[in-house]
Structure formats: C-alpha cells, structure tokens
Amino acid sequence: MKTVSDQKTVATTLDAIKKRVPAYTELAETFGPLFVEKARLRDEFAAAGPVAPAIDTARANQGVPVLVDTDFSPWAESLKKSAAALLPLLFDVFKPDEKAWRNLEAFLDDSDKIAGLAQARIEGNWKHFENTSVQLGITPYTTLLYISETVFSPVLCALTDALGEPLSKLPWDEGYCPVCGSAPSISQLSPKEVTELDQLVGGGGKKFLHCSLCGHDWRYKRNACPSCGNDENESREIFFMDDVKFERIEACHKCGKYCLNIDMRECDPQPDLDAVQIGLIHLDIFAREHDLSPISSTLWNSLE
C-alpha cells in the first residue's frame, strides 16, 4: 500500500539530485515544477477513483497491452484537466510560437480531439501525430509527441493504479508495458523485504521495468535485454561510476540499446523513477558516446 504521495516523493528526489550533483541544480529547478505538477495530478486523479479499463486476459496472453483499441472518451475530461494544468509549464520549457501554442490549447480542450490523440499514442499511430503537428504549426512532430505524453501521463498513471490486483496477477513476459505498450525508460532492482519484526532479510533484487508513459512497474528477467530479449552474457554489458555502483547502464550490444537501472536496495528513501532520471544524464551521455541508443527516447536522454 502506498503511504507517501507521488508529489512528496518527486520533491524529495529533486532535492536529493540538487544536493548530490550541484551541476544539475539549474536543470532540476527548470523541470522540477513540471514533475511536481504531474505528480499532484496523479495523486488527484487516483484519489478520484477513475473507472478502470477491462483486462482481457486472453489478449494479454498474446502480448496485447490492456489499453490497445480502447476508446479514451470516458477519460476525456481528465485529459483536458491535465492539459490545462500542464500546458503553462510546458510553454515555459519549450517557449514555442504563441500562435501555434494557442492552436494547441484549443485542440487539447476538445474532448474528441484529445481522446483521439491519446488513442493514437497508445496505438503508435505516428502519422496522426505528424498530421496534427502540421495542422497546429508545432514542428517537429516529436515535440507534439512529448507534450502529449506529458499531458496524458497523470491520467494513465491513475488508470494503471485503478487496475489494481488483477493487473499484478497478469502473466506478462514482454519488454514493453502490459498496460499501454510503451517501452521502459528505466528499470529497478527491488528493495529488500521487511519481516513482521521489522528486520531486513535477504531478498530483493528482483528486476522491474518502469513504463515511460503510464508509470507501471512490471517484473522482467534480470539477465535479458528488454528491447530484443537477448540473454547472452557475451553481448550484454553493465556500466557504472566507481563511486555510485547502484546507478548503472544495462547495455545490449546485440541490438545496440541500453536502459538505465537503479538498485533500490541501496536507496533510502526510494526515489521517483521519472524525476530521478534528471540526475542520471551523465550516464545517458556515456551510453551515447559508446554508440548506444535508449530503449525509450525521452527529453532527458536526448539533452545535449
């Protein structure tokens, strides 16, 4: 059971980044308000108890994520509310053409259009994003994609929470999210378990992938690449800084992809897995210098 709000966890994570790596202070303060507001919305939408989408176990067994082919109309009002709260912060980040931004605000305030854009994102309909980007005057289309993902994320996180125990029992061996089908942006090794006597016991270290869009964490094999499934030791490699071994790069030389990883057994308190990536950009830079590309492309791992 979650005892700490998403908002508090994000704030604690950002403070820890600024304290440990002062060079990231400006970056954390620039994007911090966006992370905090996303977390506030996640808490708010989850507390409202949204109607959860149905889980089709038969389709899941065939590798089809829960939200594929889903009509997003029932959550259009929440999506619009998220857009209204986050767009002013996103404007400060991107500083786009004001006319294009007004077009975007009007577009995302239309229930049918914002629901359709969310469905296009889940289905990977990039042509829809390209056409909409040209229509709104926001180019390249990847800018619209990032903005949309930021707006959709708090609502999708709340829907993921609403799926509850049935989702946790869903058999899933894929390297993409069982809820929305997105790739992981980071992975974690689970913290040590605690007995009823409140004494740490052996254990933990189970690998979970963290969805870049809906925030779901699902169990995955420790010795396999989430991108291609490669489990050959000879073609996989781990990189880390000597003084911070619990933050690392898991690289696959078979497909040329990498994923960041945090060993939660070494973290107290537990960081927010989205916000913490602001403090790991040096690992992304190292990976790119070694001809690796991220499994999930985000604003953080593409910063120059």
Side-chain angles (χ1 to χ4, degrees), residues 185-207:
S185 58
I186 195 169
S187 66
Q188 64 165 305
L189 299 183
S190 62
K192 295 178 181 179
E193 299 174 357
V194 180
T195 68
E196 293 181 356
L197 298 177
D198 202 29
Q199 296 175 333
L200 291 177
V201 298
K206 298 174 183 177
K207 185 174 180 176

Side-chain angles (χ1 to χ4, degrees), residues 204-218:
K206 298 174 183 177
K207 185 174 180 176
F208 288 83
L209 303 180
H210 178 74
C211 179
S212 57
L213 182 60
C214 75
H216 179 54
D217 298 300
W218 71 100

Side-chain angles (χ1 to χ4, degrees), residues 187-258:
S187 66
Q188 64 165 305
L189 299 183
S190 62
K192 295 178 181 179
E193 299 174 357
V194 180
T195 68
E196 293 181 356
L197 298 177
D198 202 29
Q199 296 175 333
L200 291 177
V201 298
K206 298 174 183 177
K207 185 174 180 176
F208 288 83
L209 303 180
H210 178 74
C211 179
S212 57
L213 182 60
C214 75
H216 179 54
D217 298 300
W218 71 100
R219 180 83 181 272
Y220 193 70
K221 296 172 288 187
R222 278 193 63 167
N223 65 335
C225 169
S227 180
C228 69
N230 174 33
D231 60 0
E232 300 171 357
N233 291 331
E234 296 78 10
S235 54
R236 290 182 297 104
E237 194 169 7
I238 292 175
F239 300 100
F240 53 81
M241 297 178 64
D242 288 339
D243 56 338
V244 194
K245 295 183 179 181
F246 60 89
E247 297 173 345
R248 55 194 192 173
I249 301 165
E250 295 187 345
C252 176
H253 297 296
K254 188 172 184 178
C255 67
K257 300 289 187 179
Y258 76 91

Side-chain angles (χ1 to χ4, degrees), residues 6-258:
D6 291 321
Q7 193 173 357
K8 183 175 181 180
T9 302
V10 167
T12 301
T13 301
L14 292 170
D15 286 342
I17 290 171
K18 291 185 285 186
K19 182 178 180 180
R20 196 183 74 178
V21 190
Y24 288 151
T25 296
E26 183 178 356
L27 197 62
E29 290 180 348
T30 298
F31 292 102
L34 188 59
F35 278 113
V36 171
E37 182 63 10
K38 282 178 62 180
R40 185 192 69 78
L41 289 166
R42 290 202 307 257
D43 285 336
E44 179 181 329
F45 292 143
V51 177
I55 294 179
D56 188 329
T57 305
R59 291 214 316 163
N61 287 335
Q62 297 174 353
V64 180
V66 173
L67 290 176
V68 169
D69 298 325
T70 295
D71 177 8
F72 277 80
S73 298
W75 307 295
E77 291 305 311
S78 293
L79 291 169
K80 289 166 57 178
K81 186 173 184 178
S82 183
L86 292 171
L87 282 178
L89 298 174
L90 286 164
F91 182 87
D92 291 340
V93 170
F94 286 100
K95 296 179 170 52
D97 175 77
E98 290 192 14
K99 180 179 179 181
W101 201 255
R102 288 195 298 271
N103 291 338
L104 176 63
E105 289 177 327
F107 184 91
L108 295 181
D109 194 42
D110 184 298
S111 296
D112 291 337
K113 290 177 180 178
I114 196 170
L117 196 64
Q119 188 169 9
R121 170 58 185 83
I122 297 300
E123 296 175 357
N125 185 351
W126 311 130
K127 189 64 177 177
H128 183 77
F129 274 88
E130 291 177 5
N131 293 340
T132 304
S133 176
V134 172
Q135 173 190 340
L136 298 176
I138 295 179
T139 56
Y141 88 91
T142 50
T143 298
L144 176 62
L145 179 61
Y146 173 73
I147 291 169
S148 300
E149 289 176 338
T150 303
V151 166
F152 300 155
S153 180
V155 180
L156 294 176
C157 287
L159 293 181
T160 298
D161 288 343
L163 288 169
E165 188 174 356
L167 175 61
S168 66
K169 293 182 177 180
L170 194 69
W172 193 262
D173 299 320
E174 310 294 344
Y176 54 86
C177 178
V179 179
C180 68
S182 300
S185 58
I186 195 169
S187 66
Q188 64 165 305
L189 299 183
S190 62
K192 295 178 181 179
E193 299 174 357
V194 180
T195 68
E196 293 181 356
L197 298 177
D198 202 29
Q199 296 175 333
L200 291 177
V201 298
K206 298 174 183 177
K207 185 174 180 176
F208 288 83
L209 303 180
H210 178 74
C211 179
S212 57
L213 182 60
C214 75
H216 179 54
D217 298 300
W218 71 100
R219 180 83 181 272
Y220 193 70
K221 296 172 288 187
R222 278 193 63 167
N223 65 335
C225 169
S227 180
C228 69
N230 174 33
D231 60 0
E232 300 171 357
N233 291 331
E234 296 78 10
S235 54
R236 290 182 297 104
E237 194 169 7
I238 292 175
F239 300 100
F240 53 81
M241 297 178 64
D242 288 339
D243 56 338
V244 194
K245 295 183 179 181
F246 60 89
E247 297 173 345
R248 55 194 192 173
I249 301 165
E250 295 187 345
C252 176
H253 297 296
K254 188 172 184 178
C255 67
K257 300 289 187 179
Y258 76 91

